[in-house]
């Protein structure tokens, strides 16, 4: 090749590289089918080479910008525009981009943990389907509702763009995988106001509120100051830290110390009914193994065994083996033969035991459990652990003491840098999944989270409002409406009034209503004590939409919530309660029996007992023969409350307590 030709090729290559770098690039938010916020200034941004002129043409007018900063970011501000569309947009620099099917309407950002993440239709290995999922999917013909899903991303520093496949038009072909709460919320608003609705879903199951909050907001809080400082001093990105840990874990797994001793090739399997497990410890099932001191921070493999004595009537007949839920994955043997495997912590295990394996007398169930993070073990309801011989037969209970042993020495396992999981580090989800959305113009936020912070309810009183104020500050759109879901009923209660973490977390959520332009959807009547992911997401969306009508759309006549406690007056042996938000009037769902379900009363001894009572108009009068001088009242103060008090609009009263006595708390903070 001649020197001149070589120089020509080099110059062309350099020019091609410069042109490729100079092309206008857009964030995932800006693309076909996007919805822009009506009646608000509209920032549109992207990246290009410094000095390049970028022209945005929209609705017959053009706007120009110059890239700036080290990243070459450019921004144009479109004027406030009324609802309408569809429109096209042209963005031109050294290249030309065409964006089609743009609508102008109301844009809502939906965020939180699994109950906001839960899709309309169940996905393989994922959540269950919402109520009436097939009908909901089939009827999802709303071309004026568009949505965008942000893929799970963690980052040590704020990112400039999200991971996403872009905006989708709502249809039976697209709605199944989208957030059910967000969809039902948006659908209700669209059917009421008939303006286009844009829904952005940025969610991650099992995550804590501090993960969704910026470092700048967290570092002023004493509980997080040192953690944020340590994160900011760390030179490695959080994903690199995780990669380094995974590499060390793989090296350990390939070493003798990392082998599963329960299935070594030269040793008897721990699933073998003849294996001698006399030296194994025991724990009660159902329950997570973190309750055992030596496994309090252990993620990995633990074997479980239980001996079951069966009568002669069961011998030679098939059985159903029910093992509740197992966190995360399991392999299960009956008398040394594998009878089933399942992946997923929320899936209930039920395996068929062939008749040939069932013997009179001693039988052995062995379960190998793999936990990838967080809680681990056999958990769920006691009634879900049993052997079932057939219709009409008495099940053999399997709950209670099980033998267990880790597959290897827990002390030999490389220590995880993230004991609560990668996404449960302060600010990492804000950096990866919220910061890149700023400054896209919004109508407001909807939020469903709190389960993962339920053991720190008093801290949540500060954390949750901090996050709300943080997001509002960064969007620079004033006090954007922020609507959230109060935790649904879940888990089982004690027979007498007691202290509960979930009750304390609900209280912390209700206290957040002191912030301007906030609204709360109470869901204590549509959950399930046995399922942390209740299937009735339609009413969750509907109640959020009611809050939106009042807070975001200014409908002062709408009854947007159930009754809220207003005042308490002690009158001798009785307590008289008044309420706000009574709507058309108060009603009680259950007035039968001696006691008024959900209500407890206490005197100066701070001991709560169930109360008697009645409605007198819109006033509730309570008393108890055991409390001659009442001083405090609680309503639905439990994990799984009985929603008794409603307004005639069908909305349940907020749980509340009138006492603030020191020492009555179960939360760690």
């Amino acid at each position: 090749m001649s020197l001149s030709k070589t120089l020509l090729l080099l110059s062309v290559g350099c020019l091609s590289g410069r042109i490729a770098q100079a092309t206008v690039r857009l964030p995932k938010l800006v693309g076909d089918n996007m919805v822009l916020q009506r009646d608000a200034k509209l920032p549109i941004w992207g990246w290009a080479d410094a000095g390049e002129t970028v022209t945005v043409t929209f609705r017959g007018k053009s706007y120009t910008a110059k890239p700036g900063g080290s990243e070459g970011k450019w921004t144009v501000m479109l004027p406030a525009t009324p609802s309408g569309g569809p429109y096209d947009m042209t963005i031109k620099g050294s290249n030309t981009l065409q964006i089609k099917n743009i609508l102008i309407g109301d844009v809502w950002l939906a965020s939180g943990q699994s109950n906001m993440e839960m899709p309309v239709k169940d996905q393989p290995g994922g959540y269950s389907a919402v109520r009436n999922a097939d009908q909901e999917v089939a009827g999802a013909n709303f071309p004026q509702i568009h949505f965008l899903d942000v893929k799970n991303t963690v980052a040590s520093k704020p990112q400039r763009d999200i991971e996403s496949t872009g905006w989708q038009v709502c249809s039976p072909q697209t709605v199944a995988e989208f957030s059910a709460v967000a969809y039902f919320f948006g659908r209700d608003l669209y059917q009421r106001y008939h303006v286009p609705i844009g829904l952005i879903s940025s969610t991650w199951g099992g995550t804590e509120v501090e993960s969704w909050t910026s470092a700048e907001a967290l570092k002023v809080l004493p509980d997080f100051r040192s953690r944020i400082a340590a994160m900011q001093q760390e030179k490695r990105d959080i994903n690199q830290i995780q990669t380094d840990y995974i590499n060390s874990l793989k090296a350990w797994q390939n070493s003798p110390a990392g082998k599963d001793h329960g299935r070594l090739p030269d040793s008897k399997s721990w699933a073998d009914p003849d294996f001698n497990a006399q030296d194994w410890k025991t724990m009660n099932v159902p329950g997570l193994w973190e309750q055992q001191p030596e496994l309090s921070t252990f993620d990995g493999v633990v074997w479980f065994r239980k001996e079951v004595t069966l009568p002669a009537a069961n011998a030679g007949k098939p059985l159903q083996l029910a093992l509740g839920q197992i966190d995360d994955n399991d392999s299960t043997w009956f008398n040394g033969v594998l009878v089933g495997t399942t992946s997923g912590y929320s899936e209930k295990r039920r395996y068929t035991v062939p008749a040939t394996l069932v013997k009179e007398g001693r039988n052995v169930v062995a379960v190998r459990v793999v936990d990838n993070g967080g809680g681990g073990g056999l958990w769920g309801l006691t009634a879900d652990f049993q052997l079932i011989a057939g219709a009409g037969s008495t099940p053999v209970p399997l709950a209670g003491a099980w033998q267990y042993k880790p597959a290897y020495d827990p002390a030999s396992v490389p220590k995880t840098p993230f004991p609560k999981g990668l996404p449960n580090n302060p600010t990492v989800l804000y950096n990866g999944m919220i910061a890149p959305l700023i400054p896209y113009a919004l109508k407001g936020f909807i939020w469903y989270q709190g389960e993962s912070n339920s053991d720190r309810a008093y801290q949540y009183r500060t954390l949750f409002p901090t996050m709300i104020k943080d997001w509002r500050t960064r969007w620079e759109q004033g006090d954007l409406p922020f609507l959230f879901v109060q935790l649904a009923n879940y888990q089982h209660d004690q027979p007498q009034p007691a202290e509960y973490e979930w009750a304390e977390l609900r209280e912390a959520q209700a206290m957040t209503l002191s912030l301007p332009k906030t609204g709360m959807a109470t869901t204590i009547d549509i959950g399930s004590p046995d399922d942390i992911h209740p299937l009735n997401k339609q009413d969750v969306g509907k109640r959020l939409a009611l809050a939106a009508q009042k807070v975001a759309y200014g409908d002062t006549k709408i009854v947007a919530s159930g009754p809220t406690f207003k005042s308490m007056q002690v009158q001798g042996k009785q307590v008289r309660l008044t309420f706000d938000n009574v709507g058309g009037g108060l009603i009680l769902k259950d007035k039968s029996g001696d006691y008024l379900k959900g209500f407890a009363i206490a005197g100066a001894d701070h001991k709560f007992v169930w109360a008697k009572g009645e409605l007198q108009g819109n006033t509730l009068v309570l008393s108890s023969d055991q409390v001659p001088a009442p001083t405090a009242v609680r309503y639905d103060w439990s994990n799984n409350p009985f929603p008794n008090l409603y307004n005639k609009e069908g909305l349940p009263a907020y749980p509340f307590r009138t006492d603030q006595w020191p020492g009555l708390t179960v939360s760690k903070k």
Side-chain angles (χ1 to χ4, degrees):
M1 182 183 296
S2 68
L3 178 59
S4 60
K5 189 172 183 180
T6 301
L7 292 174
L8 176 61
L9 289 174
L10 286 173
S11 64
V12 170
C14 292
L15 179 61
S16 298
R18 183 180 67 79
I19 291 174
Q21 184 182 6
T23 56
V24 175
R25 301 174 301 284
L26 300 175
K28 304 293 192 308
L29 275 170
V30 180
D32 291 347
N33 306 315
M34 68 178 176
V35 180
L36 297 175
Q37 178 58 43
R38 61 172 169 157
D39 304 325
K41 291 183 178 180
L42 299 172
I44 302 294
W45 71 94
W47 302 272
D49 252 6
E52 182 176 4
T53 298
V54 177
T55 302
V56 176
T57 302
F58 184 61
R59 300 182 73 229
K61 295 184 179 180
S62 295
Y63 311 84
T64 60
K66 292 280 189 180
S70 60
E71 293 185 339
K73 184 176 181 179
W74 55 266
T75 302
V76 300
M77 189 69 71
L78 305 182
T81 305
S83 62
Y87 302 112
D88 291 344
M89 179 183 292
T90 301
I91 301 176
K92 186 174 182 180
S94 61
N95 59 313
T96 300
L97 301 174
Q98 294 283 348
I99 303 176
K100 299 183 179 299
N101 196 32
I102 300 170
L103 300 180
I104 309 292
D106 289 335
V107 183
W108 291 87
L109 171 56
S111 190
Q113 59 180 108
S114 55
N115 273 304
M116 185 64 85
E117 182 180 49
M118 185 175 172
V120 175
K121 177 74 171 166
D122 59 312
Q123 306 300 313
Y127 302 102
S128 299
V130 302
R131 186 183 63 177
N132 302 323
D134 289 337
Q135 297 94 312
E136 297 289 10
V137 169
N141 292 297
F142 295 99
Q144 293 258 299
I145 298 177
H146 296 184
F147 38 72
L148 177 144
D149 185 66
V150 179
K151 296 187 181 299
N152 291 354
T153 306
V154 299
S156 296
K157 297 179 181 180
Q159 301 297 291
R160 73 176 193 174
D161 200 5
I162 56 171
E163 293 295 327
S164 177
T165 56
W167 289 91
Q168 305 290 319
V169 177
C170 178
S171 71
Q173 291 71 43
T174 60
V175 77
E177 297 182 15
F178 194 69
S179 163
V181 169
Y183 166 63
F184 295 131
F185 166 79
R187 183 182 68 180
D188 276 20
L189 291 182
Y190 174 72
Q191 291 175 330
R192 180 171 182 82
Y193 296 108
H194 301 288
V195 299
I197 298 293
L199 301 169
I200 302 170
S201 171
S202 184
T203 62
W204 194 324
T207 54
E208 300 170 342
V209 67
E210 57 264 38
S211 302
W212 297 96
T213 309
S214 76
E216 288 73 19
L218 288 175
K219 68 182 181 182
V220 301
L221 304 180
D223 290 346
F224 292 91
R225 188 174 298 138
S226 60
R227 292 183 66 185
I228 294 299
M231 290 180 66
Q232 292 179 334
Q233 292 170 6
E234 172 63 55
K235 295 181 179 179
R236 295 175 297 169
D237 181 81
I238 192 170
N239 293 287
Q240 185 59 53
I241 297 173
Q242 179 73 352
T243 298
D244 293 344
Y245 164 68
I246 291 173
N247 290 337
S248 66
L249 187 63
K250 288 180 179 178
W252 169 82
Q253 290 170 338
N254 291 327
S255 72
K259 300 302 180 186
D260 185 341
H261 291 191
R263 51 182 190 182
L264 294 175
D266 299 329
S267 302
K268 183 171 288 189
S269 168
W270 290 0
D272 193 314
D274 296 328
F275 174 78
N276 185 355
Q278 290 183 350
D279 64 337
W280 287 24
K281 295 181 179 180
T282 61
M283 74 171 71
N284 283 326
V285 168
L288 298 178
W289 68 49
E290 281 77 8
Q291 298 169 358
Q292 311 306 311
E294 75 277 18
L295 300 178
S296 60
T297 60
F298 181 69
D299 296 326
V301 180
V302 176
W303 286 76
F304 291 82
R305 284 172 60 100
K306 187 173 184 65
E307 295 187 5
V308 183
T309 301
L310 296 176
N314 289 131
K317 296 179 181 178
L319 298 173
Q320 292 294 311
L321 172 59
L323 293 176
Q325 293 151 282
I326 297 179
D327 194 345
D328 289 297
N329 311 322
D330 76 287
S331 299
T332 298
W333 291 261
F334 192 91
N335 285 336
V337 177
L338 184 69
V339 293
T341 62
T342 303
S343 297
Y345 74 93
S346 62
E347 300 293 326
K348 289 190 176 183
R349 273 60 173 179
R350 195 179 182 98
Y351 302 129
T352 299
V353 180
T356 55
L357 299 180
V358 183
K359 303 184 299 182
E360 178 184 2
R362 177 179 178 269
N363 293 263
V364 177
V365 179
V367 185
R368 181 180 184 267
V369 180
V370 180
D371 173 44
N372 298 317
L378 292 79
W379 67 289
L381 298 177
T382 297
D384 286 337
F385 289 80
Q386 55 188 356
L387 278 169
I388 305 166
S393 64
T394 301
V396 178
L398 296 179
W402 282 60
Q403 294 176 291
Y404 75 93
K405 188 171 184 177
Y408 30 73
D409 180 5
S412 71
V413 185
K415 188 176 181 180
T416 174
F418 310 120
K420 299 175 76 173
L422 185 62
N424 276 327
N425 285 273
T427 203
V428 297
L429 300 185
Y430 169 83
N431 292 336
M433 301 176 67
I434 298 298
L437 303 175
I438 303 169
Y440 201 81
L442 302 175
K443 181 70 172 179
F445 308 97
I446 58 173
W447 175 261
Y448 194 160
Q449 190 274 342
E451 298 92 337
S452 291
N453 286 86
S454 61
D455 61 339
R456 294 178 283 133
Y458 282 75
Q459 186 189 66
Y460 202 80
R461 293 181 178 186
T462 299
L463 269 177
F464 187 30
T466 294
M467 189 204 77
I468 294 173
K469 289 184 283 189
D470 181 36
W471 286 15
R472 287 173 166 176
T473 297
R474 303 202 175 273
W475 253 273
E476 297 183 341
Q477 286 186 247
D479 289 332
L480 279 172
F482 197 105
L483 318 173
F484 54 94
V485 182
Q486 193 178 42
L487 292 187
N489 47 310
Y490 174 61
Q491 306 177 87
H492 291 264
D493 294 335
Q494 300 179 37
Q496 298 301 319
E499 305 301 323
Y500 297 95
E501 290 181 343
W502 278 48
E504 292 174 357
L505 197 286
R506 291 192 194 101
E507 179 183 55
Q509 292 175 311
M511 293 171 72
T512 306
L513 291 171
S514 63
L515 293 181
K517 290 194 175 181
T518 53
M520 184 174 75
T522 299
T523 60
I524 57 171
D525 59 336
I526 55 180
S528 167
D530 303 327
D531 191 350
I532 199 171
H533 302 126
L535 304 184
N536 180 1
K537 292 294 188 281
Q538 289 88 338
D539 281 333
V540 180
K542 178 180 179 179
R543 291 177 186 179
L544 282 172
L546 286 174
Q549 290 174 45
K550 181 177 182 179
V551 176
Y553 295 91
D555 187 344
T556 58
K557 296 181 180 180
I558 192 75
V559 178
S561 77
T564 55
F565 171 74
K566 180 180 181 181
S567 68
M568 179 184 78
Q569 183 180 7
V570 178
Q571 299 174 334
K573 294 182 179 181
Q574 294 183 330
V575 172
R576 186 175 295 272
L577 303 178
T578 62
F579 298 86
D580 289 323
N581 299 306
V582 297
L586 297 180
I587 59 174
L588 292 169
K589 291 283 185 162
D590 190 311
K591 296 177 287 187
S592 62
D594 293 334
Y595 298 97
L596 197 58
K597 287 185 178 180
F599 289 91
I601 193 170
D605 60 359
H606 299 181
K607 293 181 179 179
F608 282 90
V609 298
W610 298 123
K612 300 177 181 180
E614 64 176 359
L615 271 178
Q616 296 180 0
N618 285 330
T619 300
L620 188 64
V621 179
L622 302 175
S623 65
S624 170
D625 296 338
Q626 302 175 58
V627 185
T631 59
V633 169
R634 290 181 175 183
Y635 170 65
D636 276 354
W637 192 260
S638 65
N639 288 329
N640 182 40
F642 180 87
N644 198 355
L645 183 64
Y646 284 74
N647 53 31
K648 289 184 178 179
E649 284 72 16
L651 298 172
Y654 292 1
F656 68 90
R657 60 174 171 176
T658 66
D659 64 282
Q660 289 294 331
W661 293 320
L664 297 185
T665 176
V666 289
S667 293
K668 294 178 181 178
K669 289 188 177 181

